[in-house]
Amino acid sequence: MQFYSTNNPKHKVSLKEAVIRGLAPDQGLYMPERIPVLPASFFERISEMSFKEIGYEVIGKLFGEELGEEQVMKLVDHTLNFDAPLVKVSEGIYSLELFHGPTLAFKDFGARFCSKLMSILMEGEERKVKVLVATSGDTGSAVANGFYKVPGVEVIILYPKGKVSELQEMQFTTLGENINCLEVEGVFDDCQWLVKEAFLDKELNEKILLTSANSINIARWIPQCLYYFYAWSRLPEKDKKLAISVPSGNFGNLGAGILAERMGLPIDVFVASTNINKIVPDFLHGLDFKAKPSISTISNSMDVGNPSNFYRLLALYGNDEALFRKKVKGFYFDDEDTAKAMKKVMEETGYILDPHGAVGYLGLRNFLKMNPGEYVGIFLETAHPGKFKSVVDKVLGIELELPDRLKEFMKGEKNAKGLPNDYGAFRAYLSNSIL
Ligand SMILES: *Cc1c(COP(=O)(O)O)cnc(C)c1O
């Protein structure tokens, strides 16, 4: 299997090149050159298969040729070492809980897969690969924990000083080993700018192997399709049509669901649920796709004004905008709607939503109301409510107990270097650090 760039389908590269590069040189997104379809026999057996067994088959279809069966199993075993239970919230509505990994958010799936795949692809290479990550919080923790102690890979995390929560900061700055943290005198956009400059620096890239681990990278994006298959395998009501709602920011997660559907998974409708950063719902309602500055909300991991996976979604529908608009329904909600939904669901069912899952729930509820009785619905619960404790406590008027895994991070010691918001200083750091 080769991978093409969405900006030029003739530009094709190997799996290794696509993963190590992250973004194509023409700034396009890499896509598998063909979408393999799983046989009917797979879907007949799926209810009896474990999460890992499902993973072996799906990843085998995509990466088996390059990696071989043994490496595929290693990769899947490493990634899927925690569950993703499907929990019934109310009649016809299920929550797919994706927050049972080490940093309690769905990004753990992609980060774990990405780190393991990079180390497999770098085996036998003398050079180490340096992974650069700019983060406003959640990506940093998932990537740091996913890559922790992975041989052959050094991680450099840039984050804005004083602009991430203490809990988030402790999740990546306390690890040490191959995880290096830079506290930048600036905002998130400055961190992202520094990383971009480094990728564009030809001379630097000849000396050191730099890559990225954001959801642009196929190694983070593709494995997210696995939990869609798993959710369907555990769904009791398979006789109804299925709608899946995905709370979205950069739209990697939703794109992975569409990939699963293109591989044969019977999902009838996707619901693209966002906060007021509603570029994609606007597109789905007929407007042109147009990036905008992002607006802050209580579901802050989805505050994205320029969703980077948009053209990947379009490519999955053969660049057919009409088909895209037919299969994906867009909804958006403001903070007040989100808070109301969190309250209502807790009062009526006892289930505690985090602000992102609440946006997904709302999109699903709205879609189901417009199509009564026809569908069973799943929304993705992308983070543990404890990760957004201050918002959840305030909205629900409760004192949420933090999970032990989060408390553990708070015991560690913060280790980060200060960095001025200056590319020269960052370049010197990258050139001088003998990693
Ligand atoms: C990153 C994130 C999202 C958005 O996912 P995308 O793949 O960027 O659309 C949603 N919820 C949480 C909790 C996240 O961390």
Side-chain angles (χ1 to χ4, degrees):
M1 174 86 78
Q2 286 195 305
F3 297 85
Y4 72 89
S5 162
T6 49
N7 280 348
N8 176 9
K10 287 197 194 115
H11 171 83
K12 284 188 191 173
V13 299
S14 66
L15 173 65
K16 179 169 175 173
E17 192 169 345
V19 171
I20 302 297
R21 273 189 177 278
L23 196 64
D26 60 12
Q27 309 287 304
L29 306 173
Y30 284 119
M31 290 292 288
E33 60 179 341
R34 70 196 144 73
I35 310 283
V37 175
L38 288 147
S41 59
F42 168 75
F43 293 103
E44 282 156 20
R45 285 179 290 122
I46 199 168
S47 304
E48 277 84 57
M49 292 165 81
S50 69
F51 198 178
K52 284 184 181 174
E53 285 166 340
I54 292 170
Y56 302 151
E57 290 221 18
V58 175
I59 296 302
K61 274 273 181 194
L62 288 157
F63 298 153
E65 269 167 37
E66 282 84 352
L67 300 177
E69 202 177 326
E70 202 180 313
Q71 299 281 38
V72 167
M73 287 178 76
K74 265 197 210 163
L75 192 54
V76 171
D77 287 344
H78 177 82
T79 308
L80 303 183
N81 70 340
F82 51 92
D83 199 18
L86 190 66
V87 176
K88 185 167 180 172
V89 173
S90 57
E91 221 31 70
I93 295 189
Y94 293 81
S95 165
L96 180 64
E97 293 186 348
L98 301 175
F99 56 72
H100 296 274
T103 72
L104 299 109
F106 82 97
K107 290 187 175 75
D108 283 327
F109 286 98
R112 293 181 70 76
F113 188 94
C114 182
S115 63
K116 187 74 183 170
L117 180 54
M118 275 187 191
S119 80
I120 289 173
L121 296 172
M122 291 302 288
E123 253 166 47
E125 288 256 359
E126 265 176 40
R127 293 197 297 177
K128 278 191 178 184
V129 57
K130 289 190 192 187
V131 176
L132 303 185
V133 194
T135 184
S136 54
D138 268 1
T139 302
S141 54
V143 169
N145 284 273
F147 282 78
Y148 183 50
K149 291 188 184 173
V150 170
V153 186
E154 283 287 328
V155 176
I156 298 153
I157 296 176
L158 291 85
Y159 70 102
K161 183 174 176 168
K163 303 264 181 340
V164 305
S165 78
E166 194 190 356
L167 188 64
Q168 286 175 322
E169 187 176 21
M170 294 300 268
Q171 282 185 296
F172 50 83
T173 57
T174 55
L175 295 169
E177 299 268 347
N178 61 327
I179 310 299
N180 309 277
C181 298
L182 297 174
E183 202 175 12
V184 176
E185 300 282 347
V187 295
F188 170 66
D189 291 335
D190 299 320
C191 301
Q192 204 157 28
W193 172 75
L194 288 168
V195 167
K196 266 198 189 136
E197 285 296 300
F199 286 128
L200 293 174
D201 187 332
K202 277 223 170 81
E203 206 187 303
L204 187 73
N205 284 270
E206 276 163 19
K207 278 196 286 186
I208 29 186
L209 205 51
L210 295 178
T211 188
S212 80
N214 59 25
S215 67
I216 287 304
N217 197 311
I218 52 163
R220 249 196 73 192
W221 174 62
I222 286 183
Q224 299 177 148
C225 75
L226 297 177
Y227 43 73
Y228 289 86
F229 288 97
Y230 184 55
W232 189 75
S233 79
R234 298 308 189 257
L235 184 69
E237 305 169 54
K238 289 200 184 55
D239 49 329
K240 283 192 173 167
K241 288 204 268 184
L242 173 60
I244 298 192
S245 172
V246 187
S248 296
N250 265 320
F251 281 82
N253 204 1
L254 178 63
I258 298 171
L259 175 65
E261 190 261 331
R262 300 270 104 177
M263 291 179 80
L265 188 67
I267 300 169
D268 297 280
V269 166
F270 286 99
V271 180
S273 304
T274 70
N275 56 35
I276 48 169
N277 293 281
K278 59 186 176 68
I279 292 90
V280 173
D282 279 350
F283 163 82
L284 293 168
H285 291 125
L287 299 182
D288 287 338
F289 177 77
K290 199 160 166 265
K292 298 211 174 92
S294 65
I295 305 164
S296 295
T297 73
I298 56 169
S299 49
N300 65 302
S301 298
M302 311 197 302
D303 295 348
V304 179
N306 187 9
S308 49
N309 284 288
F310 178 78
Y311 290 100
R312 189 166 253 160
L313 271 61
L314 197 53
L316 284 165
Y317 288 119
N319 295 312
D320 179 344
E321 292 191 3
L323 181 63
F324 187 175
R325 289 185 171 119
K326 183 164 165 250
K327 294 287 287 187
V328 184
K329 302 296 166 198
F331 293 89
Y332 64 90
F333 305 94
D334 63 18
D335 283 353
E336 201 185 323
D337 297 332
T338 308
K340 262 195 206 148
M342 289 166 70
K343 258 203 184 126
K344 188 157 179 275
V345 169
M346 185 184 74
E347 282 163 11
E348 288 177 1
T349 71
Y351 195 80
I352 298 186
L353 294 164
D354 97 289
H356 306 77
V359 169
Y361 169 86
L362 275 171
L364 183 63
R365 265 304 293 264
N366 277 268
F367 175 77
L368 294 178
K369 260 195 200 152
M370 290 160 65
N371 301 273
E374 245 182 284
Y375 288 84
V376 60
I378 296 174
F379 67 94
L380 307 197
E381 181 40 290
T382 46
H384 189 287
K387 281 204 99 161
F388 302 94
K389 180 174 161 56
S390 55
V391 174
V392 172
D393 282 0
K394 200 168 144 213
V395 167
L396 299 181
I398 57 172
E399 185 60 52
L400 195 68
E401 175 79 8
L402 277 189
D404 290 341
R405 260 168 303 164
L406 281 183
K407 281 191 212 150
E408 276 306 306
F409 286 111
M410 299 309 282
K411 291 183 192 152
E413 199 171 308
K414 173 179 158 179
N415 195 343
K417 270 201 176 81
L419 187 79
N421 179 18
D422 169 45
Y423 180 64
F426 183 43
R427 189 176 203 274
Y429 170 84
L430 289 173
S431 318
N432 297 337
S433 53
I434 313 220
L435 295 174

